[in-house]
Amino acid sequence: MGGMSSDNVHGLVLALSSSVFIGSSFIIKKKGLMKAGATGTRAGSGGYSYLKEPWWWAGMVDEIAVIIGEIANFAAYAYAPAILVTPLGALSMIISAVLAHYFLDERLHIFGIVGCALCLVGSTTIVLHAPQETQVSSVKEVWFFATEPGFLVYAVIVLIFVGILMYRYVPLYGGTHLIIYVGICSLMGSLTVMCVKAVGIAMKLSFSGSNQFVYFQTWIFTLLLIAFVLMQLNYLNKALDTFNTAVISPVYYVMFTSLTILASMIMFKNWDHQNASQIVTELGGFVTIFSGTFLLHKTKDMGAPAIELPKLSNSSTRSPNQSPRRPEP
């Protein structure tokens, strides 16, 4: 296998930066909430005294970290293939788990450590065997890839499935079956990433001196991106409002990553120039990351200290029908 291209390196650095910012933002926010709750500082009773609370400002830093992380993730797609960038999102979970262990006293169980290790091994495997990014000189080339029969068939199938889920299964099973909402988000997410990649490439080329916003294709990709993101956020919020986040996160991550890689493979033909050994190794990396993700989420609360219930006295353990003992004379 040849060395990584400069674009893949740039995409890798941006993806890792995104994971660091997004993973640490959760810890900053939770620490700030804990501190603010402990001091009892409230805007309603203390006026603007919350501005003196350092952790309130840390919360603002948290929001900035999330924004920077999402921008870095957006930019990563402009340089590296989705098959490299998307799976690296698992690293943000590792960063959150490790920082929570040291700063929030949330003990990381041995199985959580194994989950982190699996994610690291899988990510390293994918990084070392990632395909080279398809070189494009204008957004018209991206449009050519998107309008080829293979990807058009994929996009139509996705939209049909989303339509069936939305109008047939959401009213019947949306509130009881997690897969309905997560399926819509994942299917739409695979198309969203392709639009992100197209707009990201257009912006990268424009900044380098070749303005791509003079082409109607760039604006079509932009409008589709906005529409897909809004739809995805709508159903993701429904899922989060209905089901446990600890269950949603791994299922959504696996489905979203799998469909995104499939869409990228069809659209950009990432695997056309790789041999069977490289492809199998990458698939092994995906499975390793997925396994680590599920293990990390399934055991995230195992390291928490058990809550010791107060011992009941003999009088409180007496059955309701048992009469109290009479004192002996």
Side-chain angles (χ1 to χ4, degrees):
M1 182 198 69
M4 293 181 66
S5 66
S6 60
D7 276 356
N8 273 20
V9 173
H10 291 153
L12 173 62
V13 172
L14 288 167
L16 292 176
S17 302
S18 172
S19 295
V20 170
F21 281 112
I22 294 175
S24 61
S25 67
F26 170 78
I27 306 303
I28 297 173
K29 177 178 290 184
K30 190 164 184 178
K31 188 73 173 179
L33 290 173
M34 291 169 61
K35 285 288 186 179
T39 58
T41 303
R42 297 178 60 88
S45 58
Y48 294 100
S49 61
Y50 61 86
L51 293 175
K52 300 177 182 179
E53 173 58 51
W55 286 104
W56 184 86
W57 291 102
M60 299 302 293
V61 174
D62 159 70
E63 300 301 329
I64 296 173
V66 172
I67 294 172
I68 294 175
E70 293 298 342
I71 292 174
N73 195 52
F74 180 93
Y77 283 108
Y79 288 95
I83 200 172
L84 169 63
V85 176
T86 307
L88 293 181
L91 297 180
S92 64
M93 293 183 290
I94 298 177
I95 293 169
S96 291
V98 172
L99 292 179
H101 176 82
Y102 287 104
F103 294 103
L104 301 180
D105 292 327
E106 296 180 3
R107 297 298 121 193
L108 191 60
H109 194 271
I110 182 62
F111 292 113
I113 296 175
V114 173
C116 291
L118 288 173
C119 290
L120 284 174
V121 171
S123 300
T124 303
T125 302
I126 292 174
V127 168
L128 294 177
H129 295 85
Q132 303 298 331
E133 172 70 323
T134 303
Q135 297 298 318
V136 295
S137 58
S138 74
V139 76
K140 290 184 176 181
E141 292 184 38
V142 184
W143 180 263
F144 172 78
F145 292 134
T147 53
E148 283 195 302
F151 187 76
L152 285 178
V153 169
Y154 173 81
V156 169
I157 292 174
V158 165
L159 294 176
I160 290 174
F161 268 97
V162 169
I164 293 174
L165 290 173
M166 287 173 55
Y167 296 106
R168 172 63 179 172
Y169 289 99
V170 165
L172 297 175
Y173 307 109
T176 56
H177 291 70
L178 172 70
I179 197 67
I180 305 298
Y181 288 142
V182 173
I184 293 174
C185 294
S186 301
L187 287 165
M188 293 306 302
S190 66
L191 298 182
T192 301
V193 169
M194 296 304 102
C195 292
V196 165
K197 191 163 186 64
V199 175
I201 290 174
M203 294 179 67
K204 182 182 75 170
L205 293 173
S206 297
F207 286 134
S208 65
S210 177
N211 186 11
Q212 300 297 302
F213 288 89
V214 297
Y215 304 123
F216 74 90
Q217 291 93 338
T218 302
W219 294 105
I220 291 179
F221 281 128
T222 303
L223 293 175
L224 288 175
L225 173 60
I226 295 172
F228 292 161
V229 165
L230 291 177
M231 182 181 297
Q232 192 178 347
L233 287 176
N234 178 42
Y235 284 95
L236 183 58
N237 286 331
K238 289 178 183 291
L240 292 172
D241 187 52
T242 308
F243 303 98
N244 192 326
T245 305
V247 179
I248 293 174
S249 296
V251 176
Y252 176 56
Y253 173 77
V254 170
M255 290 187 64
F256 168 73
T257 302
S258 301
L259 289 169
T260 298
I261 291 172
L262 175 62
S264 178
M265 182 184 67
I266 295 172
M267 181 170 172
F268 291 99
K269 302 177 177 60
N270 296 129
W271 284 344
D272 279 6
H273 303 291
Q274 290 192 297
N275 56 42
S277 175
Q278 291 174 317
I279 294 174
V280 170
T281 303
E282 289 170 15
L283 291 175
F286 299 143
V287 173
T288 304
I289 291 178
F290 295 159
S291 302
T293 301
F294 271 105
L295 193 59
L296 192 58
H297 275 275
K298 285 294 184 181
T299 61
K300 64 186 300 183
D301 296 324
M302 290 180 64
I307 300 176
E308 185 176 349
L309 297 176
K311 294 182 179 180
L312 300 176
S313 63
N314 291 334
S315 60
S316 62
T317 57
R318 194 167 46 238
S319 63
N321 298 326
Q322 182 179 353
S323 59
R325 294 181 59 186
R326 294 182 180 177
E328 296 182 1

